[in-house]
Structures are given as C-alpha cells and as structure tokens.
Amino acid sequence: MPHLAPPPILLTDVLDEVGDAVELLARHAPYTPLGGWYNPGADPTAKTRPMWFQNDWVHDTYTAPGSELFLHHPDYIEATKAYFDAEIVEPHSVYVNHMMAIDKAGPCHTDNPRFAGRDRANTPMWVLRTMFWSGLFDDEAIPQATAIWWLNDVDGGALRYWPDGWDEPAVEHGGRMTNTALLGDNHGMFHQVCAVGSGSGTPLVSPSAELGPVDVAGGDWAISDLGEQVFRAPLDEIRVSVLWKADVFRDEAHRVQLRDQPLSLDAVAERLGADADRFDDPDHQAEIVARFPEPRPTDALPSVYDR
Ligand SMILES: [Fe+2]
C-alpha cells in the first residue's frame, strides 16, 4: 500500500472578491457534460448524461485569460508548501465543475496518479493506478496538490472525504462552502460529491448539451440541449467548484531526480511482476490488478455513474 495522505487543509475567504470568479465563469462559458470516459463513443443526441458540466481553464497547452486568479493563488502556494513540507510548487491545471439536480453522489475515487516519465499520455490508466496501489513506486510518484474551491451553498453538494484513510469513517464539508477551499492530496485520499438539488430525480442531457449564462445582469444560467432550453436557474442554485492542481517537489534535487530518471514501461512491468507486452491483454490486466487491489471505503455512497 502507498503512503496515506494527511488530512486536507480547509481555507476560508479564499478570494477577495467572489464576483471576480462569477465574471470569469461567464466569460468562459459554455460548459459541456462530464462523462466521456465512462461512455466513449456515445450517441451525441442520446440523453445519457447527468447535469454535471465541466470546462478546462488551464491545461498543458492552454491558459484561459483571467484564470491566474486561481492558478497563482498565493494562499494555495503557501498552504501546499506547508502541507507537503516542500519548497517547489508548480501549478499546472485549473478546471471547473457545475452540478445541478443529481439525486445520487458522484463516484467515490482517488485522482489519477503520475510518476517520473509515466502519465496517461504514455501509460494505460489501469497500470498507473496499479503502480499507485502497489506502493512500489512511492519514490517515483510526482506529488500532486489539489485544491477544490466552492462558489456557493446549494441544496446538497457536500464533499464527502476520507481524511484518515479508506478504512476510517468519512467526513463531509457542506453547508458553509462559499469561498472556501479544501487543499491536500486527492490522489491519496478518497472523495466524492454528495447528491445535489432537492431530490426530484436526475434529469439527463445529451453529450452535446451546453450550459452558460442567459442573462448576466439577472444572474440566470441555462442548459440548451438539442435546440431546446431544458433547465434554467440562478447561478446561486448551481453547485460550482473550481479545481486546482500542482506538481510538488521537496526541493530542486527532488525535481531533477523525477525529471532525469524516467521509468521505462519495462521497468514498471518488472517491478509489478508483469509483462509489458501483455498490457493490452484483459486476462493479464485482471491478474495484475488482483495482485494489488484498490481498496474501497465501506461507507462510500452509491454513484450516479454506477451501472
Ligand atoms: Fe477527484
């Protein structure tokens, strides 16, 4: 088993002006439904997705204008240095989630890990996750800080998380979430979003649906789907979170070590007792995954994406 993450840090009054985030949210609309990787190749006109919308503001090759508000937030940098006892923090991702009317929780999960020379671009996700849960690659893991910031308080939508490990009870951050953020290591801590809304079912939308403001002055946002407006509400009633991620290095030597000593796929396979030539073979995958099983908290809530 890998090292457990310490409990996350709750930050309050994160932004001086929450209105800056509201303006940014509108500027970078529209948002599109989450879930492509659960259902790849889905019919773009079939209403299969819950009303959980997303957009990237910062990734490898793009930085949305204004997203520096989160990307370079000084409180995030300082809290990350303290949490990881580290000198170097390199923010690399910001993305946004909007959720409404989802009467089950989101998936209980840990975020996908990265290692020296190994990430989702060159390594199957099940291999990365098995590397993590094997505990055999802790020295090559690239520590990742995550901060989740919330715009508002809505019905439901608490973050349920396991600060003391998957075999200890969950706790929830809910009720007073406006302008707070939880900062820690979501790659080493299970977490899930609780049901959002007043419990009147989970209306579904098509993968081509779009969410955005209809009238900035009035504060209303709406979903248009297949040429029809299927949902409209004030932004206040939509659960909005902004996620931030950063690479973290203890010091320059640690950064250089992870950069200059990339793991080859064969080295990974050897340490797992696997055969890299058979990574595409479902039987081999099942055998290796069973050797290093991923735990699941017993008090996880059923997910809207469960089949
Ligand atoms: Fe997550």
Side-chain angles (χ1 to χ4, degrees), residues 178-245:
T178 297
N179 205 22
T180 65
L182 208 58
L183 184 145
D185 176 5
N186 284 3
H187 303 258
M189 182 186 79
F190 280 93
H191 53 284
Q192 73 182 142
V193 182
C194 295
V196 179
S198 48
S200 52
T202 304
L204 300 178
V205 296
S206 80
S208 54
E210 293 188 341
L211 169 72
V214 284
D215 170 6
V216 174
D220 271 10
W221 282 51
I223 298 172
S224 86
D225 192 13
L226 308 174
E228 207 185 331
Q229 190 179 94
V230 296
F231 177 89
R232 178 170 173 151
L235 186 60
D236 287 353
E237 295 176 12
I238 299 173
R239 183 191 190 274
V240 179
S241 57
V242 178
L243 281 84
W244 171 94
K245 284 189 180 292

Side-chain angles (χ1 to χ4, degrees), residues 270-290:
E270 186 180 339
R271 208 179 296 177
L272 292 172
D275 178 351
D277 291 334
R278 294 180 62 207
F279 275 167
D280 290 338
D281 173 351
D283 291 340
H284 191 56
Q285 174 179 343
E287 180 193 337
I288 303 307
V289 168

Side-chain angles (χ1 to χ4, degrees), residues 95 107 109-112 146 148 159 186-187 189 191-192 243 245:
Y95 54 98
H109 67 286
T110 56
D111 293 354
N112 293 320
T146 302
I148 312 177
L159 185 79
N186 284 3
H187 303 258
M189 182 186 79
H191 53 284
Q192 73 182 142
L243 281 84
K245 284 189 180 292

